[in-house]
Amino acid sequence: MAVALPKNFSEVRQQFQEPLIRNSFFIMASSFVAAGFGFFFWMIAARLYSQADVGIATALMSSMGLLILISRLGLDQSVIRFFPTRDKNKVLGTALLVPTAAALGAGLAFIAAVDVVSPELTIVRTIAPLYLAILGAYSITWVLEGAFNALRKSEHYFTLNLIYGSRILFLFPLVFLGATGIFSAFGLSFIIGLAFALVLLSRCSIRPELGVDRAFLREAWQFSAGAYVAGILMSAPNMVIPIMVLHVLGAESTANYYITYAIVSILFMIPYAFTTSLFVEGSHGGEMKKSVLRTLASMFALLIPAIIGLSLFGEPILNLIGKDYVEGMALLRVLAASALFVSLCQTFISIAKVRNDIRSLMIVSGFISVALLGLGYTMMNRFGLIGMGYAWFGTYAAGTVLIGVILKKKGWI
């Protein structure tokens, strides 16, 4: 089945009316806005705060992201998968209450055990109430973002990302707090975003019932459990790596890695946008073969020139943030090249979710997670920070080969 790219504005406008393309556009625009605000956020933070403060703050944010990841229980994915067929208010209420309670419990455990888990982050004990408040807001907004996508209202997701840009403004008055100031600026934007998200949700005629819908949990359990484990396996490395870099190479290298990754994440968000929309459309019963082909064609049409551009102009971008960060250019190029393989892996994961193929989902996500962390640790000890880039490229290239084997075995290609 051939997939033609639009040749004029009229065809562009026509394609934009289709949910797959429209939602992909807003999710991708949200990613670009988030990346743009993130760029300026870290550029300003790098100039106002010390490199050590930036390193500690990024590790704090990564620890929070890891707690959110652990506590989601796959219900954020079940919102997308089951919204078209079940009571949306009950589904969303359950998906808000259960993961947020789990996140706060995990947050308390982390604070109590921080001396053992990550001695470098003992600062979290002095800011425990703030940490837990931001953790709760972060957890709720995470689920609501997925709900807007599931409703095919990704323009509201875009609005939230505009609001999150307020974190830049908070950097200036909080500079006297050091690493805590950076972390507080990050968290306050989510608290503000939560208030706006509830308003936008009411405009969609959705009012979450804050209770546990046991019938929904029973029906969604198998899918939620599989999506939960796969989500942890795929996303945990992003949260663990900054902490691992801090342990192996120190705070300065952690800052270099985080800043470089924040820039390259512009590329990674292109496949994220299209494959998320693919998952939504598949859950609504869209024709998968046509949707997959359109997803791949659209992704690569944007991704290839973006990789080339970032590889050519990455150095001046890093220099804008600070001269100390230019040494991350080699890492930037390797991470950028890996985006091609990342896009193929993410496409397969969306297909597996729609087909409820939990076994394949677990195999691919498990391989990528173990290989990325194991190879990353080994390569960093041998090559330094660039070793983490080698690990990204090698892991996702091998993951793409594994996916080809699975697709052939199942007769999907």
Side-chain angles (χ1 to χ4, degrees):
M1 181 184 297
V3 178
L5 294 176
K7 299 181 178 62
N8 52 55
F9 179 77
S10 178
E11 291 186 9
V12 170
R13 185 176 180 180
Q14 182 179 357
Q15 289 199 13
F16 191 75
Q17 300 303 315
E18 298 181 13
L20 174 66
I21 301 300
R22 184 173 179 275
N23 283 335
S24 296
F25 171 80
F26 277 112
I27 295 171
M28 186 166 53
S30 300
S31 301
F32 287 148
V33 165
F37 282 132
F39 170 78
F40 286 108
F41 179 83
W42 290 114
M43 181 178 72
I44 294 171
R47 294 180 182 276
L48 294 177
Y49 299 77
S50 71
Q51 196 170 31
D53 283 340
V54 172
I56 294 297
T58 56
L60 278 172
M61 294 176 193
S62 295
S63 70
M64 181 170 289
L66 184 59
L67 293 176
I68 295 292
L69 176 65
I70 292 171
S71 65
R72 284 186 300 177
L73 304 176
L75 289 173
D76 59 321
Q77 297 296 299
S78 291
V79 167
I80 295 176
R81 188 68 180 83
F82 293 99
F83 247 33
T85 59
R86 293 194 62 89
D87 186 318
K88 295 177 177 61
N89 294 323
K90 291 182 178 180
V91 168
L92 187 55
T94 302
L96 287 172
L97 183 62
V98 176
T100 300
L104 293 174
L108 288 170
F110 173 69
I111 293 169
V114 70
D115 288 335
V116 177
V117 177
S118 183
E120 299 88 352
L121 293 180
T122 53
I123 187 178
V124 74
R125 284 187 172 173
T126 65
I127 59 169
L130 175 67
Y131 189 87
L132 293 174
I134 294 173
L135 179 63
Y138 195 175
S139 176
I140 295 171
T141 54
W142 190 312
V143 175
L144 294 181
E145 289 168 2
F148 288 134
N149 290 334
L151 289 166
R152 293 171 166 173
K153 294 288 185 180
S154 296
E155 61 270 25
H156 294 334
Y157 177 41
F158 175 73
T159 300
L160 285 182
N161 276 277
L162 291 175
I163 294 169
Y164 297 153
S166 64
R167 69 187 63 174
I168 295 174
L169 301 177
F170 295 123
L171 282 174
F172 296 94
L174 298 176
V175 68
F176 71 98
L177 294 175
T180 303
I182 300 174
F183 178 71
S184 298
F186 168 81
L188 287 171
S189 68
F190 280 102
I191 293 174
I192 295 172
L194 173 57
F196 276 90
L198 294 175
V199 173
L200 293 172
L201 196 65
S202 67
R203 292 182 179 179
C204 298
S205 300
I206 302 294
R207 292 173 176 79
E209 295 184 12
L210 293 182
V212 177
D213 185 348
R214 298 183 184 277
F216 161 64
L217 287 179
R218 284 194 298 269
E219 180 182 347
W221 169 246
Q222 183 179 5
F223 177 84
S224 295
Y228 170 62
V229 176
I232 289 178
L233 291 172
M234 287 297 294
S235 300
N238 293 333
M239 313 301 175
V240 172
I241 288 172
I243 300 172
M244 187 167 69
V245 175
L246 179 66
H247 175 71
V248 175
L249 301 175
E252 287 74 16
S253 291
T254 305
N256 272 320
Y257 174 80
Y258 199 89
I259 293 296
T260 302
Y261 181 83
I263 295 172
V264 177
S265 66
I266 296 172
L267 300 181
F268 292 156
M269 288 305 176
I270 294 175
Y272 168 77
F274 281 96
T275 57
T276 298
S277 187
L278 175 64
F279 178 33
V280 171
E281 291 310 305
S283 298
H284 280 268
E287 184 182 346
M288 280 302 293
K289 184 176 181 181
K290 179 180 178 181
S291 295
V292 169
L293 290 174
R294 297 195 69 179
T295 295
L296 291 173
S298 301
M299 275 197 305
F300 283 107
L302 294 172
L303 199 55
I304 292 174
I307 291 172
I308 295 172
L310 190 57
S311 297
L312 291 175
F313 302 106
E315 186 170 341
I317 294 174
L318 288 169
N319 193 52
L320 279 175
I321 297 175
K323 293 181 179 179
D324 292 336
Y325 296 95
V326 175
E327 62 186 74
M329 186 59 206
L331 174 64
L332 184 146
R333 288 196 175 105
V334 178
L335 288 176
S338 71
L340 292 171
F341 297 114
V342 170
S343 66
L344 293 171
C345 292
Q346 288 186 351
T347 299
F348 175 80
I349 286 170
S350 288
I351 295 171
K353 287 178 182 177
V354 172
R355 292 178 177 268
N356 204 25
D357 186 358
I358 302 302
R359 185 171 181 273
S360 296
L361 188 63
M362 296 287 289
I363 290 172
V364 172
S365 59
F367 171 81
I368 289 174
S369 181
V370 172
L372 184 54
L373 289 176
L375 193 59
Y377 185 83
T378 302
M379 290 291 190
M380 274 197 298
N381 276 287
R382 183 169 182 180
F383 298 106
L385 190 58
I386 186 63
M388 198 65 242
Y390 297 152
W392 268 90
F393 188 90
T395 295
Y396 278 95
T400 300
V401 174
L402 175 61
I403 286 169
V405 173
I406 293 174
L407 291 175
K408 186 174 182 181
K409 184 177 180 179
K410 290 183 173 291
W412 292 358
I413 57 174

